[in-house]
Amino acid sequence: MGLYERYLALRIRRHEGDPPDHVALVITERDLLEQGAYETLIDCFEWAFEYATRVTVYVSVLDAAAVPTLRRQLEELDAPREVAVRGPEDRDPADAPIQIGIGLGGKHEFTSAVRTLAEGVAAGDLASEEIDDAELERHLIFPDEPDLVIKTGAERLSDFMIWQSVYSELYFTDVNWRDFRKRDFLRAVLEFCNRSRRFGQ
C-alpha cells in the first residue's frame, strides 16, 4: 500500500462515521473487456472486505448473447469469498458474501418479484393484504440494501437495484474501471463516512 493509501486508510480508521457494511459496484460489459479488468475486480473485493461484509456487483450488458460467457468467467473468479452469480433468467435470491448480477436490470428484477407474488395470490398461497415491503423484498434476486454504490466512469446509473438502492449513498468517479485503484476505492469509503445518512427523512 502506498503512502497516500495509508493516509486515506488512517483517516477512515479514525473517522467517527462507520464505513459501509455493504458495498455495490456498477460496471459495464465493456469494462470487463479491458485488459486486467478481472484482476481489478478481485483486488476490489479484497479492498472492500477490509470494511464490508457483503459486496454486490452489477454488470450492465448491451448484448444479451454475452451473458453466458461473462457468467462463466465471473463464476470462475479466484475471489476471496463465496460468489453467487445471477442472470436475467434466474429467479432464486442470491445469498453469498459476493453477489454478481449480469444483465439483470432493476426493472426486470422488480417485475419478476411482483410476478412471483401475483402467482402466489392466484394459487391461493398468499393473500393480497399480506403483501408489504418485506414480502416483496423476500422475492428479489438481491434482497439486501447496499450502503454505498460506486459507479466508475460516468455520473449516471444504469437500470440498477431500483428498489434496494433508494436510501443508498451514491458515489460517482470519473476514473474508468480499467484505472480504478485502491486509492479511488478508499476515497469512496471516506466520502461515505463524511456523509450524514438520512434514509429518506
Side-chain angles (χ1 to χ4, degrees):
M1 188 189 301
L3 183 61
Y4 184 54
E5 285 82 3
R6 288 194 183 95
Y7 165 74
L8 291 171
L10 179 62
R11 287 192 61 189
I12 293 167
R13 195 160 54 247
R14 291 183 174 177
H15 204 288
E16 292 181 357
D18 293 326
D21 187 61
H22 181 181
V23 175
L25 304 168
V26 182
I27 59 178
T28 68
E29 167 194 0
R30 198 166 33 212
D31 289 328
L32 293 177
L33 295 176
E34 297 285 348
Q35 184 175 3
Y38 289 96
E39 288 79 3
T40 299
L41 189 57
I42 293 169
D43 288 342
C44 196
F45 291 149
E46 297 284 0
W47 307 331
F49 283 117
E50 291 178 16
Y51 304 97
T53 60
R54 187 178 299 275
V55 179
T56 298
V57 181
Y58 251 63
V59 183
S60 60
V61 174
L62 294 176
D63 182 4
V67 171
T69 300
L70 287 171
R71 181 171 193 147
R72 184 175 63 254
Q73 291 171 332
L74 289 164
E75 286 177 337
E76 293 174 355
L77 280 178
D78 185 18
R81 303 283 194 284
E82 181 186 355
V83 178
V85 181
R86 297 291 185 269
E89 305 307 317
D90 293 314
R91 294 180 75 174
D92 294 332
D95 184 17
I98 299 173
Q99 304 173 150
I100 303 177
I102 310 168
L104 177 63
K107 290 181 179 179
H108 176 89
E109 182 187 17
F110 185 80
T111 302
S112 178
V114 171
R115 185 180 299 119
T116 301
L117 290 170
E119 290 169 355
V121 171
D125 299 326
L126 180 69
S128 59
E129 57 269 18
E130 294 177 329
I131 299 174
D132 56 12
D133 291 1
E135 186 65 26
L136 191 144
E137 287 169 1
R138 213 165 54 81
H139 292 85
L140 293 171
I141 307 299
F142 299 97
D144 298 315
E145 300 174 1
D147 299 307
L148 172 65
V149 177
I150 300 173
K151 175 68 174 71
T152 61
E155 289 200 7
R156 61 181 180 273
L157 287 174
S158 56
D159 178 18
F160 163 80
M161 296 181 87
I162 57 176
W163 178 279
Q164 303 93 318
S165 63
V166 65
Y167 298 134
S168 302
E169 295 297 321
L170 307 180
Y171 181 86
F172 298 95
T173 173
D174 291 335
V175 177
N176 291 318
W177 181 251
R178 67 176 178 269
D179 302 317
F180 195 70
R181 296 168 295 175
K182 185 169 187 177
R183 64 180 57 188
D184 303 304
F185 177 79
L186 291 174
R187 285 193 191 110
V189 173
L190 183 58
E191 175 65 20
F192 176 88
C193 293
N194 285 332
R195 295 183 187 179
S196 176
R197 301 191 72 191
R198 300 184 183 278
F199 299 95
Q201 298 180 2

